[in-house]
Amino acid sequence: MATLPNQLPKLAQDPAGRSLGLDLPPGGLVDKTSDGPWHEPLLWHADGPAAPDAWQRLLPARMSAGLHPVLLSMAPAMPATRELSPGIMSYPGDHDAEDVLAGFWGFEEEFDADDAEMVAPFGREWPGLAPAREFEADPDVRAAEVAASVIGAGRLEDPRAALVPARRSADVPAAIGWAGPLNHENDVARLCAVLRSWEDRFGVRVVALAFDVLVLSVAAPPADLAEAQAMAAEHFAFCPDNITQGSGSLRTYAKSLLGEVCWTFWWD
């Protein structure tokens, strides 16, 4: 796998990023991981709180420097950058999204009445991927709108605008070694393979990360109940806590996805 050059080291001598065609606010580079300093910066984030247009203002960095915008919760107790583990990540392109989700469906050996009720109208067998939908908005425009909404509604504690070197938005969690889904999957690149598939099929962008929360924008949300239920099955495999510790059933959860342009995942 050929890696893209990481442009973040240039910010050490050029904090505003002028040499990269940027005009960044005051900020700093992060190379701290759970195993000590990484050999290069993993991300840059602004020192001050993010304004509603912060994601949109950083979007040009993707084209000029291969740096993807994301909002990070830097809550003092559990910031998004706590316990980063890039060393255990594989490459998202080495995994097949459907294989990953089918493996997480996990009902091959045990499937009782409670399980059947929770995942109805599906059953023990993995139901397959939801069909792709035509985008109803430009994915980057939708992402900027969702980012502004997340900040404006105060849904992210101490939000900071950040830049991450990655091939695509879907790869951002693995690129920094984010440990949010640790109790579900240690190698976040496997989940990023699913995000790549959602990026292709539904125009998803990674908008925000907290310690154990992932926020996505969606350019093609489900438009009817059948589509929503198919999508809910993928969400259940991707992040079962959304249902087992949230809505309680896939049917109920699916209704919340109808027309929803912001998908939020939380792992216990």
Side-chain angles (χ1 to χ4, degrees):
M1 185 239 341
T3 59
L4 298 175
N6 183 351
Q7 303 286 7
L8 288 180
K10 294 183 179 179
L11 299 182
Q13 302 300 321
D14 176 21
R18 301 278 163 70
S19 63
L20 299 175
L22 307 177
D23 184 17
L24 300 177
L29 299 170
V30 174
D31 65 358
K32 181 181 178 182
T33 77
S34 57
D35 296 318
W38 196 240
H39 61 87
E40 60 182 1
L42 295 166
L43 62 97
W44 168 93
H45 70 73
D47 290 337
D53 65 348
W55 196 97
Q56 183 177 17
R57 288 175 63 87
L58 290 182
L59 186 57
R62 185 180 68 194
M63 293 300 296
S64 65
L67 302 173
H68 289 262
V70 66
L71 302 175
L72 300 179
S73 170
M74 297 304 289
M78 291 192 295
T81 55
R82 179 178 173 182
E83 298 177 2
L84 299 181
S85 301
I88 67 173
M89 303 297 162
S90 58
Y91 176 58
D94 290 339
H95 306 286
D96 177 80
E98 182 155 22
D99 288 346
V100 171
L101 292 172
F104 283 139
W105 193 250
F107 291 117
E108 290 82 357
E109 297 179 2
E110 297 181 7
F111 191 75
D112 58 25
D114 289 340
D115 292 328
E117 182 177 356
M118 182 171 57
V119 301
F122 306 110
R124 177 194 297 267
E125 301 297 325
W126 163 244
L129 296 180
R133 294 199 67 248
E134 183 178 351
F135 298 174
E136 63 183 35
D138 179 279
D140 291 333
V141 172
R142 177 58 54 78
E145 293 169 349
V146 169
S149 175
V150 166
I151 293 173
R155 293 175 54 191
L156 202 65
E157 186 177 356
D158 194 11
R160 308 291 179 87
L163 290 171
V164 175
R167 285 190 169 273
R168 47 198 290 184
S169 178
D171 295 356
V172 163
I176 67 173
W178 182 61
L182 197 59
N183 292 333
H184 182 55
E185 173 59 65
N186 289 351
D187 183 2
V188 176
R190 285 167 44 79
L191 297 181
C192 288
V194 177
L195 295 182
R196 282 185 169 204
S197 179
W198 289 351
E199 191 175 291
D200 294 339
R201 286 182 288 144
F202 309 112
V204 158
R205 294 288 186 270
V206 174
V207 168
L209 296 169
F211 174 67
D212 52 6
V213 173
L214 168 67
V215 180
L216 307 176
S217 62
V218 191
D224 59 40
L225 189 57
E227 290 179 354
Q229 288 177 346
M231 196 68 249
E234 293 194 37
H235 283 207
F236 177 74
F238 185 81
C239 178
D241 291 336
N242 271 22
I243 293 175
T244 60
Q245 300 192 51
S247 64
S249 75
L250 192 147
R251 288 186 191 273
T252 300
Y253 180 78
K255 293 176 183 177
S256 72
L257 296 180
L258 285 169
E260 180 55 60
V261 300
C262 178
W263 292 348
T264 301
F265 300 93
W266 166 77
W267 290 268
D268 187 8

